């Protein structure tokens, strides 16, 4: 994969899976931009991207819940690096909580970050997408397809993200813009995995649900994004690509029940 001369923007690209994606594009010679809330994380990532091989790397801080800040930030990235060849939208928040026990604001917080954040990124980036040729990759989650107890907020948000993917593939396809989602399975060592499987026993149960029998690695997801961002995927749009070791075929299984059991035992059996 050679992305020399290409501009790749990764929103929420400063830790975990998304940072792995940004580093993979940097190693392939792209110009990189990342954005998230924490200046420290942005600075650390920009330095790492330059080391990894990015021809240029810039970083900005904004919260994806603020549409004006997102639009302004994306305009700044465009001024610095030109039109976007690849846009990865992956900022997200998650915590396990039963619906009856979380506040309305808790539910809304995840909708605001994952779903509305995606809307803000799509709309803010639209004027700056290379046409024809841009590739948008929305980072989704197994919760988009599979119900997990304690994850109704994430299930609703990520299902919405994938429907945005499918709809924009129609609306923007006529301009030569491709739009796809990538669904990582549970990825080792990441914040998202730690929040849902906080103990070695829980990790074992999550792993038992994966037909390939192992956690995914950040590189597994990054490789799929390199492919979708490249000309090799030039006729692929509107697809939701699972990178999950066939987890989807097994279903939410033990892990889905385990999150609910864990939360019920903490709340004394309510709901
Ligand atoms: P992570 O390390 O917590 O990464 C989240 C990124 O988003 C960070 O860069 C974070 O940086 C940024 N972010 C969070 N809230 C933001 C906000 N309001 N505005 C702007 N940036 C924000 O998480 P991860 O586990 O690697 O997950 C990354 C993506 O993969 C997410 O979309 C997640 O849903 C998806 N996913 C993860 C797994 C998994 O196993 N981990 C499985 C399936 C799907 P700041 O803190 O600086 O804002
Ligand atoms: N259980 C139930 N409710 C929770 C919760 C939990 N574990 N964590 C937060 N909430 C609730 C809060 O109580 C608050 O609701 P309230 O106003 O009714 O009390 C609401 O969610 C917002 O919490 P707050 O801490 O103000 O949100 P924030 O905007 O500072 O942070 C989060 C957003 C909560 C999603 C935070 O965990 C975060 O920033 N996550 C990013 C990293 C991440 O989640 N990575 C994994 C990605 S898969």
């Amino acid at each position: 994969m050679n992305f020399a001369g290409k501009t790749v923007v990764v929103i929420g690209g400063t830790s975990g899976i998304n940072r792995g994606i940004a580093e993979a594009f940097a190693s392939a010679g792209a110009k990189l931009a990342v954005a998230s809330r924490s200046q420290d994380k942005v600075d650390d990532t920009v330095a790492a991207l330059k080391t990894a091989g990015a021809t240029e790397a810039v970083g900005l801080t904004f919260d994806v819940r603020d549409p004006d800040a997102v639009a302004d930030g994306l305009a700044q990235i465009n001024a610095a690096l030109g039109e976007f060849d690849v846009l990865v939208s992956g900022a997200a928040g998650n915590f396990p909580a039963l619906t009856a026990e979380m506040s309305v604001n808790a539910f809304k917080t995840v909708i605001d970050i994952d779903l509305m954040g995606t809307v803000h990124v799509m709309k803010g980036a639209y004027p700056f997408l290379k046409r024809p040729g841009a590739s948008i990759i929305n980072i989704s989650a197994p919760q988009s397809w599979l119900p997990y107890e304690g994850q109704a907020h994430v299930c609703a948000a990520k299902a919405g993200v994938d429907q945005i993917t499918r709809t924009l593939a129609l609306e923007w396809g006529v301009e030569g813009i491709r739009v796809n989602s990538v669904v990582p399975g549970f990825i080792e060592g990441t914040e998202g995995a730690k929040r849902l499987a906080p103990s070695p026993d829980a990790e074992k149960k999550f792993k038992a649900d994966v037909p390939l029998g192992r956690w995914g690695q950040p590189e597994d997801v990054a490789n799929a994004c390199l492919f979708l961002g490249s000309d090799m995927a030039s006729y692929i749009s509107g697809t939701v690509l699972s990178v999950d070791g066939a987890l989807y075929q097994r279903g939410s299984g033990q892990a889905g029940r385990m999150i609910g059991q864990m939360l019920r035992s903490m709340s004394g059996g309510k709901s």
Side-chain angles (χ1 to χ4, degrees), residues 121-142:
V121 171
M122 296 299 103
K123 286 182 72 65
Y126 180 69
F128 310 122
L129 295 167
K130 184 165 187 193
R131 30 173 79 73
S135 169
I136 296 175
I137 302 167
N138 288 319
I139 304 301
S140 181

Side-chain angles (χ1 to χ4, degrees), residues 110-197:
V110 169
I111 298 291
D112 283 345
I113 300 171
D114 296 26
L115 180 57
M116 291 313 298
T118 302
V119 174
H120 300 156
V121 171
M122 296 299 103
K123 286 182 72 65
Y126 180 69
F128 310 122
L129 295 167
K130 184 165 187 193
R131 30 173 79 73
S135 169
I136 296 175
I137 302 167
N138 288 319
I139 304 301
S140 181
Q143 291 91 326
S144 163
W145 317 94
L146 300 172
Y148 282 77
E149 293 184 36
Q151 290 283 276
H153 45 337
V154 178
C155 293
K158 292 294 193 178
V161 168
D162 288 342
Q163 284 298 72
I164 288 172
T165 288
R166 296 183 181 104
T167 308
L168 292 189
L170 301 181
E171 293 184 8
W172 296 356
V174 292
E175 297 178 64
I177 297 165
R178 295 185 294 113
V179 191
N180 294 291
S181 284
V182 165
V183 175
F186 292 96
I187 304 300
E188 189 156 33
T190 59
E191 185 59 30
K194 280 182 214 151
R195 287 180 183 217
L196 296 186

Side-chain angles (χ1 to χ4, degrees), residues 3 5-11 25 30-35 58 60 62 69-89 120-137 172 175-179 228-231:
F3 283 85
K6 305 278 187 190
T7 294
V8 177
V9 180
V10 186
I11 305 303
F25 279 106
K31 297 183 274 181
L32 258 297
V34 290
V58 299
L60 288 178
F62 56 70
V70 173
D72 182 56
L74 288 163
Q76 286 182 48
I77 293 170
N78 172 250
L81 301 183
E83 288 181 320
F84 308 161
D85 295 281
V86 178
L87 169 69
V88 180
S89 176
H120 300 156
V121 171
M122 296 299 103
K123 286 182 72 65
Y126 180 69
F128 310 122
L129 295 167
K130 184 165 187 193
R131 30 173 79 73
S135 169
I136 296 175
I137 302 167
W172 296 356
E175 297 178 64
I177 297 165
R178 295 185 294 113
V179 191
L228 286 176
S230 77
D231 289 343

Side-chain angles (χ1 to χ4, degrees), residues 1-79:
M1 294 287 178
N2 182 356
F3 283 85
K6 305 278 187 190
T7 294
V8 177
V9 180
V10 186
I11 305 303
T14 61
S15 61
I17 293 171
N18 302 328
R19 177 161 162 165
I21 295 167
E23 288 178 354
F25 279 106
S27 301
K31 297 183 274 181
L32 258 297
V34 290
S36 77
R37 294 165 301 175
S38 152
Q39 188 68 56
D40 286 350
K41 284 169 74 173
V42 166
D43 292 344
D44 185 67
T45 304
V46 167
L49 293 173
K50 287 179 177 158
T51 307
T55 43
E56 288 179 65
V58 299
L60 288 178
T61 55
F62 56 70
D63 191 315
V64 293
R65 287 169 284 192
D66 179 343
D68 294 336
V70 173
D72 182 56
L74 288 163
Q76 286 182 48
I77 293 170
N78 172 250

